[in-house]
Amino acid sequence: MIKMDPDLSLTQKILPDDPDKKPQAKQLQTRADYLIKLLNKDLARKEAQRFTGADEIVSVKHSHKKLKAEEENEEKPEPDIGIKKEAEEKRDTKENKRDLKREKKEKEDKKELKIIKEKRENKVKETVQKEKEVKEDKVNEIKSENKEKNKKVSLLDIPVHITATSEPIPISEESEELDQKTFSVCKERMRPVKAALKQLDRPEKGLSEREQLEHTRQCLIKIGDHITECLKEYTNPEQIKQWRKNLWIFVSKFTEFDARKLHKLYKHAIKKRQESQQHSDQNITSNLNTHVIRNPGKKS
């Protein structure tokens, strides 16, 4: 085919794939008819020239000009309403595309501004939260430091609980603490029973459970009696009550029991000692009575 011949380069010039583009078959047919007509006229002119001479040549020239003018008029395409409509549609399409593009850009700008605003707000929130956490960490750190400072007191000044295994036990949360001045006074007053304080929670090795219990009871009685002696220098009931409490708190530092429990154990031991003493006295009196009854005539 002529259209597909690469040497002619007419692939996009005749019968294009787009039906709206020219030349199509109709235009090619019109052109071909015109060329055939033109060839026929030229052939007739040549034949007439050959027979009639130079005068006829002039006439043919005029005819040729006339024919050429007609050809140009025929070649001029009349205004195509479809082309105008297509141009208008293209123009409308371009305007619609511009509007759509502008709307799309405005939406993208709004979305970007919203994202920037959210990022800024989140950053402010994160900063506030971070500052709050730092502040809380500092407060907790200060509290921890103060708590550690309160715990780190010299064992020479404030002893911890000493158990039978020689392992220190933290002071019970229920026990009350002594200030430094009161502690020093208690330490001085309890110095005479220092040995009993150390042995209070450290019974001798090799003792049975019953013997250990008796040993602890005896240490507690010795300590409690000493506290009772110390309180005799006071006459004000409030002072007696306060110093009894202070001295038993001091004693609680050497054992796992609190001051109230130690004082209760001491009172129980005293009661038991009194009962034992009364029983012993009754036995002595009974023995003396029996001896007198059996030997009425003997002088003691």
Side-chain angles (χ1 to χ4, degrees):
M1 289 179 65
I2 297 173
K3 176 181 177 181
M4 304 305 296
D5 191 341
D7 295 331
L8 298 176
S9 300
L10 296 175
T11 303
Q12 298 300 327
K13 293 183 179 180
I14 59 174
L15 298 175
D17 295 333
D18 189 351
D20 294 331
K21 291 184 178 181
K22 296 178 181 180
Q24 294 293 334
K26 183 179 179 181
Q27 286 81 14
L28 290 174
Q29 183 63 44
T30 302
R31 182 66 174 170
D33 292 341
Y34 169 75
L35 290 174
I36 292 171
K37 182 180 178 181
L38 188 64
L39 288 172
N40 288 332
K41 285 184 179 182
D42 187 66
L43 183 61
R45 181 184 61 80
K46 288 181 179 180
E47 289 292 332
Q49 195 176 39
R50 189 167 44 179
F51 291 105
T52 60
D55 292 335
E56 296 293 332
I57 292 174
V58 174
S59 177
V60 172
K61 281 185 179 180
H62 286 293
S63 298
H64 180 69
K65 287 182 180 181
K66 187 177 179 181
L67 290 173
K68 189 174 181 181
E70 291 176 356
E71 179 186 352
E72 288 176 355
N73 290 333
E74 289 178 357
E75 285 183 348
K76 285 183 180 179
E78 294 180 357
D80 192 347
I81 297 173
I83 294 175
K84 288 183 179 181
K85 188 175 181 180
E86 183 181 355
E88 289 176 357
E89 289 178 352
K90 286 183 178 180
R91 184 169 61 253
D92 293 337
T93 302
K94 287 182 179 179
E95 290 178 357
N96 290 335
K97 285 183 178 180
R98 280 198 297 269
D99 293 338
L100 290 173
K101 190 174 181 181
R102 183 170 60 253
E103 289 177 0
K104 185 178 179 181
K105 191 173 185 304
E106 288 176 357
K107 287 182 179 179
E108 289 177 352
D109 291 342
K110 286 181 180 179
K111 186 176 180 181
E112 187 175 356
L113 288 173
K114 186 178 179 181
I115 293 172
I116 293 172
K117 187 178 179 180
E118 289 177 351
K119 285 184 177 180
R120 189 182 296 112
E121 289 176 353
N122 291 334
K123 190 173 182 181
V124 171
K125 287 181 180 178
E126 288 177 358
T127 303
V128 172
Q129 183 65 24
K130 186 176 284 187
E131 290 176 355
K132 186 178 179 181
E133 290 176 355
V134 170
K135 190 175 180 180
E136 289 178 352
D137 290 340
K138 285 184 179 180
V139 172
N140 293 333
E141 187 177 351
I142 292 171
K143 286 182 179 179
S144 299
E145 289 177 358
N146 291 337
K147 193 173 181 181
E148 290 296 325
K149 285 179 182 179
N150 291 334
K151 287 183 178 179
K152 292 180 180 179
V153 182
S154 174
L155 292 176
L156 296 175
D157 294 331
I158 300 180
V160 294
H161 296 163
I162 306 299
T163 62
T165 57
S166 299
E167 295 181 356
I169 295 178
I171 298 169
S172 172
E173 291 181 358
E174 296 179 357
S175 65
E176 297 181 43
E177 295 297 328
L178 301 173
D179 58 69
Q180 187 63 42
K181 184 178 179 181
T182 304
F183 182 84
S184 299
V185 173
C186 291
K187 183 178 179 182
E188 234 7 83
R189 291 188 175 181
M190 299 302 290
R191 193 176 293 279
V193 289
K194 183 177 180 180
L197 287 170
K198 289 184 177 180
Q199 294 177 8
L200 183 61
D201 209 20
R202 284 197 242 174
E204 296 179 2
K205 294 182 181 179
L207 298 178
S208 65
E209 186 175 349
R210 186 182 181 85
E211 288 172 340
Q212 289 180 4
L213 184 61
E214 183 61 28
H215 172 80
T216 302
R217 184 183 292 113
Q218 291 302 321
C219 290
L220 195 59
I221 289 174
K222 187 175 181 180
I223 292 167
D225 289 345
H226 181 71
I227 290 175
T228 303
E229 286 295 321
C230 291
L231 296 176
K232 287 181 179 179
E233 64 181 81
Y234 299 104
T235 56
N236 189 327
E238 290 297 326
Q239 286 184 323
I240 294 173
K241 183 179 178 181
Q242 184 62 45
W243 276 106
R244 181 187 289 115
K245 179 182 176 182
N246 292 341
L247 291 170
W248 279 111
I249 289 174
F250 177 82
V251 176
S252 70
K253 309 300 181 185
F254 294 87
T255 182
E256 57 187 3
F257 299 114
D258 60 21
R260 186 173 296 182
K261 180 71 173 176
L262 289 171
H263 189 220
K264 187 176 180 180
L265 290 173
Y266 168 69
K267 288 194 293 184
H268 182 71
I270 292 298
K271 184 179 180 181
K272 208 167 184 187
R273 182 176 66 176
Q274 290 173 350
E275 290 175 354
S276 179
Q277 185 67 36
Q278 288 176 0
H279 183 68
S280 179
D281 291 345
Q282 286 176 359
N283 287 339
I284 292 173
T285 302
S286 178
N287 290 336
L288 286 174
N289 290 337
T290 302
H291 178 73
V292 170
I293 291 171
R294 289 179 180 178
N295 303 288
K298 288 187 179 181
K299 293 181 180 180
S300 53

